[in-house]
Coordinates of all heavy atoms in Angstrom, one line a residue:
M1 N -11.1 -21.7 -4.2 CA -10.2 -21.3 -3.2 C -10.9 -21.1 -1.8 O -12.0 -20.7 -1.8 CB -9.6 -19.9 -3.6 CG -8.7 -19.3 -2.5 SD -7.9 -17.7 -2.9 CE -8.7 -17.1 -4.3
V2 N -10.3 -21.6 -0.8 CA -10.8 -21.5 0.6 C -9.9 -20.6 1.4 O -8.7 -20.9 1.5 CB -11.0 -22.9 1.2 CG1 -11.5 -22.8 2.6 CG2 -11.9 -23.8 0.3
L3 N -10.5 -19.6 2.1 CA -9.8 -18.8 3.0 C -10.3 -19.0 4.4 O -11.4 -19.2 4.6 CB -9.9 -17.3 2.6 CG -9.4 -16.9 1.3 CD1 -9.8 -15.4 1.0 CD2 -7.9 -17.1 1.2
D4 N -9.4 -19.0 5.4 CA -9.8 -19.2 6.8 C -10.5 -17.9 7.2 O -10.3 -16.8 6.7 CB -8.5 -19.4 7.6 CG -7.9 -20.8 7.4 OD1 -8.6 -21.7 7.0 OD2 -6.6 -20.8 7.6
C5 N -11.4 -18.1 8.2 CA -12.1 -17.0 8.8 C -11.2 -16.3 9.8 O -10.3 -16.9 10.4 CB -13.4 -17.5 9.4 SG -14.6 -18.1 8.3
F6 N -11.5 -15.1 10.1 CA -10.8 -14.3 11.1 C -11.6 -14.1 12.3 O -12.8 -14.0 12.3 CB -10.4 -13.0 10.5 CG -9.5 -13.0 9.3 CD1 -10.0 -12.9 8.1 CD2 -8.1 -13.3 9.5 CE1 -9.2 -13.0 7.0 CE2 -7.3 -13.3 8.4 CZ -7.8 -13.2 7.1
R7 N -11.0 -14.1 13.5 CA -11.7 -13.8 14.7 C -11.8 -12.3 14.9 O -11.1 -11.5 14.4 CB -10.8 -14.4 15.9 CG -10.8 -15.9 16.0 CD -10.1 -16.4 17.2 NE -8.7 -16.1 17.2 CZ -7.8 -16.9 16.6 NH1 -8.2 -18.0 16.0 NH2 -6.5 -16.6 16.6
I8 N -12.9 -12.0 15.7 CA -13.1 -10.5 16.0 C -11.8 -10.0 16.6 O -11.3 -10.6 17.5 CB -14.3 -10.4 16.9 CG1 -15.6 -10.8 16.1 CG2 -14.4 -8.9 17.4 CD1 -16.8 -10.8 16.9
G9 N -11.4 -8.8 16.1 CA -10.2 -8.2 16.7 C -8.9 -8.5 15.9 O -7.9 -7.8 16.0
D10 N -9.0 -9.6 15.1 CA -7.8 -9.9 14.2 C -7.7 -8.9 13.1 O -8.7 -8.3 12.7 CB -8.0 -11.3 13.6 CG -7.7 -12.4 14.6 OD1 -7.2 -12.1 15.7 OD2 -7.9 -13.6 14.2
R11 N -6.5 -8.7 12.6 CA -6.3 -7.8 11.4 C -6.0 -8.7 10.2 O -4.9 -9.1 10.1 CB -5.2 -6.8 11.7 CG -5.6 -5.8 12.7 CD -4.5 -4.7 12.9 NE -4.1 -4.2 11.6 CZ -2.9 -3.7 11.4 NH1 -2.0 -3.6 12.3 NH2 -2.6 -3.3 10.2
P12 N -7.0 -9.0 9.4 CA -6.7 -9.8 8.2 C -5.7 -9.1 7.3 O -5.8 -7.9 7.0 CB -8.0 -10.0 7.5 CG -8.9 -8.9 8.0 CD -8.3 -8.5 9.4
E13 N -4.6 -9.9 6.9 CA -3.6 -9.3 6.0 C -3.2 -10.4 5.0 O -3.5 -11.6 5.1 CB -2.3 -9.1 6.9 CG -2.5 -8.0 7.9 CD -1.3 -7.8 8.8 OE1 -0.5 -8.8 8.9 OE2 -1.1 -6.7 9.3
V14 N -2.7 -9.9 3.9 CA -2.2 -10.7 2.8 C -0.7 -10.3 2.5 O -0.5 -9.1 2.4 CB -3.1 -10.7 1.6 CG1 -3.2 -9.3 1.0 CG2 -2.6 -11.7 0.5
P15 N 0.2 -11.2 2.4 CA 1.6 -10.8 2.1 C 1.7 -10.4 0.6 O 1.2 -11.2 -0.3 CB 2.4 -12.1 2.4 CG 1.4 -13.2 2.3 CD 0.1 -12.7 2.6
I16 N 2.3 -9.3 0.3 CA 2.5 -8.8 -1.1 C 4.0 -8.4 -1.3 O 4.7 -8.1 -0.3 CB 1.6 -7.7 -1.4 CG1 1.8 -6.5 -0.6 CG2 0.1 -8.2 -1.4 CD1 1.0 -5.3 -1.0
T17 N 4.4 -8.3 -2.5 CA 5.6 -7.7 -2.9 C 5.3 -6.4 -3.7 O 4.5 -6.5 -4.6 CB 6.5 -8.6 -3.8 OG1 6.7 -9.8 -3.0 CG2 7.8 -8.0 -4.2
V18 N 5.9 -5.3 -3.3 CA 5.7 -4.0 -4.0 C 7.0 -3.7 -4.7 O 8.1 -3.7 -4.1 CB 5.3 -2.9 -3.1 CG1 5.1 -1.6 -3.8 CG2 4.1 -3.3 -2.2
T19 N 6.9 -3.5 -6.1 CA 8.1 -3.3 -6.9 C 8.1 -1.9 -7.5 O 7.1 -1.6 -8.2 CB 8.3 -4.4 -7.9 OG1 8.3 -5.7 -7.3 CG2 9.5 -4.2 -8.8
D20 N 9.2 -1.2 -7.4 CA 9.4 0.1 -8.1 C 9.5 -0.2 -9.6 O 10.4 -1.0 -10.0 CB 10.6 0.8 -7.6 CG 10.8 2.2 -8.2 OD1 11.0 2.3 -9.4 OD2 10.6 3.2 -7.4
I21 N 8.7 0.4 -10.5 CA 8.7 0.1 -11.9 C 9.9 0.6 -12.6 O 10.1 0.3 -13.8 CB 7.4 0.4 -12.6 CG1 7.1 1.9 -12.5 CG2 6.3 -0.4 -12.0 CD1 5.8 2.3 -13.1
V22 N 10.7 1.5 -12.0 CA 11.9 2.0 -12.7 C 13.2 1.4 -12.1 O 14.0 0.9 -12.8 CB 12.0 3.6 -12.6 CG1 13.3 4.1 -13.1 CG2 10.8 4.2 -13.3
K23 N 13.3 1.5 -10.7 CA 14.5 1.0 -10.1 C 14.5 -0.5 -9.9 O 15.5 -1.1 -9.6 CB 14.6 1.6 -8.7 CG 14.8 3.1 -8.7 CD 15.1 3.6 -7.3 CE 13.8 3.6 -6.4 NZ 14.0 4.3 -5.1
H24 N 13.3 -1.2 -10.1 CA 13.1 -2.6 -9.9 C 13.5 -3.1 -8.5 O 13.8 -4.2 -8.3 CB 13.9 -3.4 -10.9 CG 13.5 -3.0 -12.3 ND1 12.3 -3.3 -12.9 CD2 14.2 -2.3 -13.3 CE1 12.2 -2.9 -14.1 NE2 13.3 -2.3 -14.4
M25 N 13.5 -2.1 -7.5 CA 13.7 -2.5 -6.1 C 12.3 -3.0 -5.6 O 11.3 -2.4 -5.9 CB 14.2 -1.3 -5.3 CG 14.3 -1.5 -3.9 SD 14.9 -0.1 -3.0 CE 16.6 -0.5 -2.8
S26 N 12.4 -4.0 -4.7 CA 11.1 -4.6 -4.2 C 11.2 -4.6 -2.7 O 12.2 -4.7 -2.1 CB 11.0 -6.0 -4.7 OG 10.7 -6.1 -6.1
I27 N 10.0 -4.5 -2.1 CA 9.8 -4.7 -0.6 C 8.7 -5.6 -0.4 O 7.8 -5.7 -1.2 CB 9.6 -3.3 0.1 CG1 8.3 -2.6 -0.5 CG2 10.8 -2.4 0.0 CD1 7.9 -1.4 0.2
E28 N 8.7 -6.4 0.7 CA 7.6 -7.2 1.0 C 6.9 -6.7 2.2 O 7.6 -6.3 3.2 CB 8.2 -8.7 1.3 CG 8.6 -9.4 0.1 CD 9.0 -10.8 0.3 OE1 8.8 -11.3 1.4 OE2 9.5 -11.4 -0.6
V29 N 5.6 -6.6 2.2 CA 4.8 -6.1 3.3 C 3.6 -6.9 3.4 O 3.2 -7.7 2.5 CB 4.4 -4.6 3.1 CG1 5.6 -3.7 3.0 CG2 3.6 -4.5 1.8
N30 N 3.0 -6.9 4.6 CA 1.7 -7.5 4.8 C 0.6 -6.4 4.7 O 0.6 -5.4 5.4 CB 1.6 -8.1 6.2 CG 2.4 -9.3 6.4 OD1 2.5 -10.1 5.4 ND2 2.9 -9.6 7.5
A31 N -0.2 -6.5 3.6 CA -1.2 -5.5 3.3 C -2.5 -5.9 4.1 O -3.0 -7.0 4.0 CB -1.5 -5.4 1.8
S32 N -3.1 -4.9 4.8 CA -4.3 -5.1 5.5 C -5.4 -5.3 4.4 O -5.5 -4.6 3.4 CB -4.7 -3.9 6.4 OG -3.7 -3.8 7.4
I33 N -6.3 -6.2 4.7 CA -7.5 -6.4 3.9 C -8.6 -5.6 4.5 O -8.9 -5.7 5.6 CB -7.9 -7.9 3.8 CG1 -6.8 -8.7 3.2 CG2 -9.2 -8.1 3.1 CD1 -7.0 -10.2 3.3
D34 N -9.2 -4.7 3.6 CA -10.2 -3.8 4.1 C -11.4 -3.8 3.2 O -11.2 -3.6 2.0 CB -9.5 -2.4 4.2 CG -10.4 -1.3 4.7 OD1 -11.6 -1.6 5.0 OD2 -10.0 -0.2 4.9
T35 N -12.6 -4.0 3.7 CA -13.8 -4.1 2.9 C -14.1 -2.7 2.3 O -14.9 -2.7 1.3 CB -15.0 -4.6 3.7 OG1 -15.2 -3.8 4.8 CG2 -14.7 -6.0 4.1
S36 N -13.6 -1.6 2.8 CA -13.8 -0.3 2.2 C -12.6 0.2 1.4 O -12.3 1.3 1.3 CB -14.2 0.7 3.3 OG -13.1 0.8 4.2
F37 N -11.9 -0.8 0.8 CA -10.7 -0.6 0.0 C -10.9 0.5 -1.1 O -11.8 0.3 -1.9 CB -10.2 -1.9 -0.5 CG -8.9 -1.8 -1.4 CD1 -7.8 -1.3 -0.8 CD2 -8.9 -2.1 -2.7 CE1 -6.6 -1.2 -1.6 CE2 -7.8 -2.0 -3.4 CZ -6.6 -1.6 -2.9
S38 N -10.1 1.5 -1.1 CA -10.2 2.5 -2.1 C -9.3 2.3 -3.3 O -9.3 3.1 -4.3 CB -9.8 3.9 -1.5 OG -8.4 3.9 -1.1
G39 N -8.5 1.2 -3.3 CA -7.6 1.0 -4.4 C -6.2 1.4 -4.2 O -5.4 1.2 -5.1
Y40 N -5.9 1.9 -3.1 CA -4.5 2.4 -2.8 C -3.9 1.6 -1.7 O -4.6 1.2 -0.8 CB -4.5 3.9 -2.5 CG -5.1 4.7 -3.6 CD1 -6.4 5.1 -3.6 CD2 -4.2 5.1 -4.6 CE1 -6.9 5.9 -4.7 CE2 -4.7 5.8 -5.7 CZ -6.1 6.2 -5.7 OH -6.5 6.9 -6.8
L41 N -2.6 1.5 -1.7 CA -1.9 0.9 -0.6 C -1.1 1.9 0.2 O -0.3 2.7 -0.4 CB -0.9 -0.2 -1.2 CG 0.0 -0.8 -0.2 CD1 -0.7 -1.8 0.7 CD2 1.1 -1.6 -0.9
L42 N -1.4 2.0 1.5 CA -0.7 3.0 2.3 C 0.6 2.3 2.9 O 0.5 1.2 3.4 CB -1.5 3.5 3.5 CG -2.7 4.3 3.0 CD1 -3.6 4.6 4.3 CD2 -2.3 5.6 2.4
L43 N 1.7 2.9 2.8 CA 3.0 2.4 3.3 C 3.5 3.3 4.4 O 3.3 4.5 4.3 CB 4.0 2.3 2.2 CG 3.8 1.3 1.1 CD1 4.8 1.4 0.0 CD2 3.7 -0.1 1.6
A44 N 4.3 2.7 5.3 CA 4.9 3.5 6.3 C 6.0 4.4 5.7 O 6.6 4.1 4.6 CB 5.6 2.6 7.3
N45 N 6.2 5.6 6.2 CA 7.2 6.6 5.7 C 8.6 6.0 5.3 O 9.1 6.3 4.3 CB 7.3 7.8 6.6 CG 6.2 8.7 6.5 OD1 5.5 8.8 5.5 ND2 6.0 9.5 7.6
P46 N 9.2 5.1 6.2 CA 10.5 4.6 5.8 C 10.5 3.7 4.6 O 11.5 3.6 3.9 CB 10.9 3.8 7.1 CG 10.1 4.3 8.2 CD 8.8 4.7 7.5
L47 N 9.3 3.1 4.2 CA 9.3 2.2 3.1 C 9.1 3.0 1.7 O 9.5 2.5 0.7 CB 8.2 1.2 3.2 CG 8.3 0.2 4.4 CD1 7.1 -0.7 4.5 CD2 9.6 -0.6 4.3
Y48 N 8.4 4.1 1.8 CA 8.0 4.8 0.6 C 9.1 5.2 -0.3 O 9.1 5.0 -1.5 CB 7.1 6.0 0.9 CG 6.7 6.8 -0.2 CD1 5.6 6.3 -1.1 CD2 7.2 8.0 -0.6 CE1 5.2 7.0 -2.2 CE2 6.8 8.7 -1.7 CZ 5.8 8.2 -2.5 OH 5.4 8.9 -3.6
P49 N 10.3 5.7 0.2 CA 11.4 6.1 -0.7 C 12.0 4.9 -1.5 O 12.6 5.1 -2.5 CB 12.4 6.7 0.2 CG 11.6 7.1 1.4 CD 10.5 6.1 1.6
K50 N 11.7 3.7 -1.1 CA 12.2 2.5 -1.8 C 11.5 2.2 -3.1 O 12.0 1.5 -3.9 CB 12.2 1.3 -0.9 CG 13.1 1.5 0.4 CD 13.1 0.3 1.3 CE 14.0 0.5 2.5 NZ 14.0 -0.6 3.4
I51 N 10.3 2.7 -3.2 CA 9.5 2.4 -4.4 C 8.8 3.6 -5.0 O 7.9 3.5 -5.8 CB 8.4 1.4 -4.0 CG1 7.5 1.8 -2.9 CG2 8.9 0.0 -3.7 CD1 6.3 2.6 -3.3
N52 N 9.4 4.8 -4.8 CA 8.7 6.0 -5.3 C 9.3 6.7 -6.6 O 9.1 7.9 -6.8 CB 8.7 7.1 -4.2 CG 10.0 7.7 -3.9 OD1 11.0 7.1 -4.2 ND2 10.0 8.8 -3.2
S53 N 10.0 5.9 -7.4 CA 10.6 6.5 -8.6 C 9.5 7.2 -9.5 O 9.8 8.2 -10.2 CB 11.3 5.5 -9.4 OG 12.5 5.1 -8.8
V54 N 8.3 6.7 -9.6 CA 7.3 7.2 -10.4 C 6.2 7.9 -9.5 O 5.1 7.6 -9.5 CB 6.6 6.1 -11.3 CG1 5.6 6.8 -12.3 CG2 7.7 5.3 -12.0
E55 N 6.7 8.9 -8.8 CA 5.8 9.7 -7.9 C 5.0 10.6 -8.8 O 5.5 11.3 -9.6 CB 6.6 10.5 -6.9 CG 5.7 11.2 -5.9 CD 6.5 11.8 -4.8 OE1 6.8 11.1 -3.8 OE2 6.8 13.0 -4.9
L56 N 3.7 10.6 -8.5 CA 2.7 11.4 -9.3 C 2.7 12.8 -8.8 O 3.1 13.1 -7.7 CB 1.3 10.8 -9.2 CG 1.2 9.4 -9.7 CD1 -0.3 8.9 -9.6 CD2 1.7 9.2 -11.1
D57 N 2.3 13.7 -9.7 CA 2.2 15.1 -9.4 C 1.3 15.3 -8.1 O 0.5 14.6 -7.8 CB 1.5 15.8 -10.6 CG 1.4 17.3 -10.4 OD1 2.4 18.0 -10.5 OD2 0.2 17.7 -10.1
E58 N 1.6 16.4 -7.4 CA 0.9 16.8 -6.2 C -0.6 16.8 -6.3 O -1.3 16.5 -5.3 CB 1.4 18.1 -5.7 CG 1.1 18.4 -4.3 CD 1.8 19.7 -3.7 OE1 2.8 20.0 -4.3 OE2 1.2 20.3 -2.8
S59 N -1.1 17.0 -7.5 CA -2.6 17.0 -7.7 C -3.2 15.6 -7.5 O -4.4 15.5 -7.2 CB -2.9 17.6 -9.1 OG -2.5 16.7 -10.1
Y60 N -2.4 14.6 -7.5 CA -2.9 13.2 -7.3 C -2.7 12.8 -5.8 O -3.2 11.7 -5.5 CB -2.1 12.2 -8.2 CG -2.5 12.4 -9.6 CD1 -1.7 13.1 -10.5 CD2 -3.6 11.7 -10.1 CE1 -2.1 13.3 -11.8 CE2 -3.9 11.8 -11.5 CZ -3.2 12.6 -12.3 OH -3.5 12.7 -13.6
W61 N -2.0 13.5 -5.0 CA -1.8 13.1 -3.6 C -3.2 13.1 -2.9 O -4.1 13.8 -3.3 CB -0.9 14.1 -2.9 CG 0.5 14.1 -3.5 CD1 1.0 13.4 -4.5 CD2 1.6 14.8 -3.0 NE1 2.3 13.6 -4.7 CE2 2.7 14.5 -3.8 CE3 1.8 15.7 -2.0 CZ2 4.0 15.1 -3.6 CZ3 3.0 16.3 -1.8 CH2 4.1 16.0 -2.6
R62 N -3.3 12.3 -1.9 CA -4.5 12.0 -1.1 C -4.5 12.8 0.2 O -3.5 12.9 0.8 CB -4.7 10.6 -0.9 CG -4.7 9.7 -2.1 CD -6.1 9.8 -2.7 NE -6.1 9.0 -4.0 CZ -6.6 9.5 -5.1 NH1 -7.2 10.6 -5.1 NH2 -6.6 8.7 -6.2
T63 N -5.7 13.2 0.6 CA -5.9 13.9 1.9 C -6.9 13.1 2.7 O -8.0 12.8 2.2 CB -6.3 15.3 1.7 OG1 -5.4 16.0 0.9 CG2 -6.5 16.0 3.1
Y64 N -6.6 12.7 3.9 CA -7.4 11.9 4.8 C -7.7 12.7 6.1 O -6.8 13.3 6.6 CB -6.8 10.6 5.1 CG -6.6 9.7 3.9 CD1 -5.4 9.7 3.2 CD2 -7.6 8.9 3.4 CE1 -5.2 8.9 2.1 CE2 -7.4 8.1 2.3 CZ -6.2 8.1 1.7 OH -6.0 7.3 0.6
A65 N -8.9 12.6 6.6 CA -9.2 13.2 7.9 C -9.1 12.0 8.9 O -9.8 11.0 8.8 CB -10.6 13.8 7.9
T66 N -8.3 12.2 9.9 CA -8.1 11.1 10.9 C -8.4 11.7 12.3 O -8.6 12.9 12.4 CB -6.6 10.6 10.9 OG1 -5.8 11.6 11.5 CG2 -6.2 10.2 9.5
L67 N -8.4 10.9 13.3 CA -8.6 11.3 14.7 C -7.5 12.3 15.1 O -7.7 13.1 16.0 CB -8.7 10.1 15.6 CG -9.9 9.2 15.5 CD1 -9.8 8.0 16.4 CD2 -11.2 10.0 15.7
N68 N -6.3 12.2 14.5 CA -5.2 13.1 14.9 C -5.1 14.3 14.0 O -4.2 15.1 14.1 CB -3.9 12.3 14.8 CG -3.8 11.3 15.9 OD1 -4.3 11.5 17.0 ND2 -3.2 10.2 15.6
G69 N -6.1 14.4 13.1 CA -6.0 15.6 12.2 C -5.9 15.2 10.7 O -6.1 14.0 10.4
I70 N -5.7 16.1 9.9 CA -5.6 15.9 8.4 C -4.2 15.3 8.1 O -3.2 15.8 8.6 CB -5.8 17.2 7.7 CG1 -7.1 17.9 8.0 CG2 -5.6 17.0 6.2 CD1 -8.3 17.0 7.6
V71 N -4.2 14.3 7.3 CA -3.0 13.6 6.8 C -3.0 13.7 5.3 O -3.9 13.3 4.6 CB -2.9 12.2 7.3 CG1 -1.7 11.5 6.7 CG2 -3.0 12.1 8.8
R72 N -1.9 14.2 4.7 CA -1.7 14.2 3.3 C -0.7 13.2 2.9 O 0.4 13.1 3.5 CB -1.2 15.6 2.9 CG -1.1 15.8 1.4 CD -2.0 17.0 1.0 NE -2.3 17.0 -0.4 CZ -1.8 17.8 -1.2 NH1 -0.9 18.7 -0.8 NH2 -2.1 17.8 -2.5
T73 N -1.0 12.4 1.9 CA -0.1 11.3 1.5 C 0.3 11.5 0.0 O -0.5 12.0 -0.8 CB -0.8 9.9 1.5 OG1 -2.0 9.9 0.7 CG2 -1.3 9.6 3.0
K74 N 1.6 11.2 -0.3 CA 2.1 11.2 -1.6 C 1.6 10.0 -2.3 O 1.2 9.0 -1.7 CB 3.6 11.3 -1.6 CG 4.1 12.5 -0.9 CD 5.7 12.5 -0.9 CE 6.2 13.8 -0.2 NZ 7.6 13.8 -0.2
V75 N 1.7 10.0 -3.7 CA 1.2 8.8 -4.5 C 2.3 8.5 -5.5 O 2.8 9.4 -6.2 CB -0.1 9.2 -5.2 CG1 -0.5 8.0 -6.1 CG2 -1.2 9.5 -4.2
A76 N 2.6 7.2 -5.6 CA 3.6 6.8 -6.7 C 3.0 5.5 -7.3 O 2.3 4.7 -6.7 CB 4.9 6.5 -6.1
K77 N 3.3 5.3 -8.6 CA 2.9 4.1 -9.2 C 4.0 3.0 -8.9 O 5.2 3.2 -8.9 CB 2.8 4.3 -10.8 CG 1.7 5.1 -11.2 CD 1.5 5.1 -12.7 CE 0.3 5.8 -13.1 NZ 0.1 5.7 -14.5
A78 N 3.5 1.8 -8.7 CA 4.3 0.6 -8.5 C 3.6 -0.6 -8.8 O 2.3 -0.6 -9.1 CB 4.7 0.6 -7.0
R79 N 4.3 -1.7 -8.9 CA 3.6 -3.0 -9.2 C 3.4 -3.8 -7.9 O 4.3 -3.8 -7.0 CB 4.5 -3.9 -10.1 CG 4.4 -3.4 -11.6 CD 4.8 -4.5 -12.5 NE 4.6 -4.0 -13.9 CZ 5.5 -3.3 -14.6 NH1 6.6 -3.0 -14.1 NH2 5.2 -2.9 -15.8
I80 N 2.3 -4.4 -7.7 CA 2.0 -5.2 -6.5 C 1.8 -6.7 -7.0 O 1.0 -6.9 -7.9 CB 0.8 -4.7 -5.8 CG1 1.1 -3.2 -5.3 CG2 0.4 -5.6 -4.7 CD1 -0.1 -2.6 -4.6
Y81 N 2.5 -7.6 -6.3 CA 2.4 -9.0 -6.6 C 1.9 -9.7 -5.3 O 2.5 -9.4 -4.2 CB 3.7 -9.6 -7.0 CG 4.3 -9.0 -8.3 CD1 5.2 -7.9 -8.1 CD2 3.9 -9.4 -9.5 CE1 5.7 -7.3 -9.3 CE2 4.4 -8.8 -10.6 CZ 5.3 -7.8 -10.5 OH 5.9 -7.2 -11.6
F82 N 1.0 -10.6 -5.4 CA 0.6 -11.4 -4.2 C 1.6 -12.5 -4.1 O 2.0 -13.2 -5.0 CB -0.8 -12.0 -4.4 CG -1.9 -11.0 -4.4 CD1 -2.4 -10.5 -5.5 CD2 -2.4 -10.6 -3.2 CE1 -3.4 -9.5 -5.5 CE2 -3.4 -9.6 -3.1 CZ -3.9 -9.1 -4.3
I83 N 2.1 -12.7 -2.9 CA 3.1 -13.7 -2.6 C 2.4 -15.1 -2.5 O 2.9 -16.1 -3.1 CB 3.9 -13.4 -1.3 CG1 4.7 -12.1 -1.5 CG2 4.8 -14.6 -0.9 CD1 5.3 -11.6 -0.2
R84 N 1.3 -15.2 -1.8 CA 0.5 -16.4 -1.8 C -0.9 -16.0 -1.3 O -1.1 -15.0 -0.6 CB 1.2 -17.4 -0.9 CG 1.2 -17.0 0.6 CD 1.9 -18.1 1.4 NE 1.8 -17.8 2.8 CZ 2.6 -16.8 3.4 NH1 3.5 -16.2 2.7 NH2 2.4 -16.6 4.7
L85 N -1.8 -16.9 -1.6 CA -3.2 -16.7 -1.0 C -3.6 -17.9 -0.2 O -3.1 -18.9 -0.4 CB -4.2 -16.5 -2.2 CG -4.1 -15.1 -2.9 CD1 -5.2 -15.1 -4.0 CD2 -4.4 -14.0 -1.9

């Protein structure tokens, strides 16, 4: 497989489909490719309710320190499919 290189300042992304495993509702998003990937996909607030049927207990939620302060994120299980590479 051959992938094109990115220019400095570009945000490399890959198109994916995220599917709620209970409601079977899907959304398509461009996921940022990050070399320090932690294994989680962050979604914008308006998208999260579409795929959050299997939201995990609060003990699984993530906390991040950002330039704007502490951000707490909810966590839900979902299926992710690559649209194309």
Side-chain angles (χ1 to χ4, degrees):
M1 172 179 14
V2 176
L3 296 176
D4 292 331
C5 293
F6 298 97
R7 291 185 290 276
I8 293 175
D10 284 351
R11 290 184 50 205
E13 298 176 332
V14 61
I16 61 171
T17 299
V18 183
T19 303
D20 185 293
I21 59 179
V22 173
K23 296 186 288 189
H24 303 290
M25 176 179 257
S26 294
I27 57 173
E28 291 186 6
V29 296
N30 286 328
S32 295
I33 298 171
D34 183 355
T35 57
S36 61
F37 179 61
S38 64
Y40 299 95
L41 175 68
L42 294 175
L43 294 174
N45 281 336
L47 297 176
Y48 182 74
K50 297 178 180 180
I51 54 91
N52 71 342
S53 287
V54 187
E55 186 172 276
L56 300 182
D57 181 76
E58 194 172 335
S59 64
Y60 289 95
W61 295 4
R62 302 279 177 225
T63 303
Y64 298 94
T66 72
L67 293 175
N68 291 327
I70 301 299
V71 175
R72 189 119 195 257
T73 61
K74 296 178 180 181
V75 177
K77 288 188 176 187
R79 286 200 173 89
I80 297 176
Y81 301 95
F82 290 97
I83 296 173
R84 66 181 185 284
L85 286 179

